Amino acid sequence: MAVRNTFFQHVYNLREQEVLPRIWERSQLREYLQKPTGPFSHNTIKAIPSNYYITKTGSEMGYLVRMGDDPKVWLVGRGQYELIADPDDDAVTQEAATRRAARLAAELRARKGHHHEPPVAFADRPERPGLQAESESGKPDLYPSIPVPLTPSEHQTLTGRLAEQKAMYIVNKHLKDKYGDQAEIEEDRDGADLRVSVDGQTERIEVEGTESPTLAWSQLEVSSQKSHDALRGGDTSMYRVVDVSGTNPRIYILTHGQHFTMEPETRWIVKRVPLGDERYPLRGEPYRYDHPYYPVAEDDWEALE
């Protein structure tokens, strides 16, 4: 996505202009990059560095690096970042640092069992208007997923709820299992469903659930302009929860531009055509005229009331 491609170029330019120190924090970017004077939203500035970092020891990496993207920054302290390719270094040093960071990321993915599949070309024809899959097959094993096993009690709790309510419960359970008490989980209210904050880093999540055990691309839709804008903005992920009524649902974490695109869809309201005598309720009924030749009194005309 363009925001990811240009974000770090803006940071690089600030470093060249010497308005930003070599080791910087996201709060220092806001004066230059945050809207309305800059090109990026507050949430984008918070999310992008935390998605594209790796530590110099290769022990930790951001979510999008974990999913296969190249790291762009070193995480050198709590909330402190340094460009991997910094303008203070010559071209040879920058290239060497970039290769080292990519190697560390690949090794860490391998150790943690993250197997990245390179993006597949988007299908020319979607299964239906709405979200468009990367391939016509829609096989779930093409995408990374997370199992979220439910206890019998948790499964019973979800009985009778709507698919989206079940999906929200499952995502909340996953986040609490992953982060414990460190995470602050709240309703987003700005296009996404959830906002998760951990150690000063924020992730925004759009939750979509389905009863199907597969991704069910043909049923996947984005219902509002705000959600569309949030997903395109680069700081919101889609958590597609499948098999929401099962005991072992799974979460597929999908990113706009990497796993899906969005196409506008025209909708028409469908109304039932009345059947049989519903159209003509008096058909077949006898008519009786009382005093057909009598004049109508002026007070009897509804139009004159």
Side-chain angles (χ1 to χ4, degrees), residues 43 163-169 171-172 175 184-197 202-209 220-224 226-231 235-241:
N43 288 331
E164 293 304 320
Q165 294 173 327
K166 294 177 181 179
M168 193 71 70
Y169 180 96
V171 170
N172 272 278
L175 294 171
E184 180 182 348
I185 305 172
E186 57 187 346
E187 188 177 350
D188 183 83
R189 299 180 181 274
D190 193 25
D193 291 310
L194 295 175
R195 183 187 300 268
V196 186
S197 300
T202 300
E203 179 182 12
R204 301 177 69 209
I205 299 171
E206 174 76 6
V207 178
E208 299 289 344
L220 189 49
E221 297 176 346
V222 173
S223 58
S224 73
K226 274 192 170 184
S227 295
H228 167 276
D229 295 345
L231 288 164
D235 62 348
T236 303
S237 299
M238 178 184 290
Y239 279 38
R240 177 61 159 172
V241 188

Side-chain angles (χ1 to χ4, degrees), residues 294-305:
Y294 274 37
V296 178
E298 183 176 301
D299 291 342
D300 291 337
W301 289 96
E302 293 182 2
L304 299 177
E305 292 180 357

Side-chain angles (χ1 to χ4, degrees), residues 51-126:
N51 275 308
Y52 279 91
Y53 79 83
I54 190 167
T55 57
K56 291 188 176 182
T57 59
S59 60
E60 298 178 34
M61 57 185 170
Y63 168 72
L64 291 176
V65 178
R66 192 164 70 246
M67 292 297 103
D69 285 4
D70 292 330
K72 302 296 184 185
V73 289
W74 301 113
L75 179 64
V76 296
R78 187 182 179 90
Q80 295 180 318
Y81 301 90
E82 177 185 352
L83 285 174
I84 292 170
D86 190 271
D88 276 358
D89 299 326
D90 57 39
V92 174
T93 303
Q94 290 186 36
E95 185 177 352
T98 301
R99 287 200 305 268
R100 175 171 173 253
R103 175 178 55 79
L104 290 172
E107 292 173 354
L108 185 54
R109 287 187 207 110
R111 291 200 303 272
K112 291 183 174 292
H114 297 290
H115 302 288
H116 171 64
E117 292 284 346
V120 182
F122 294 137
D124 293 330
R125 177 182 59 81

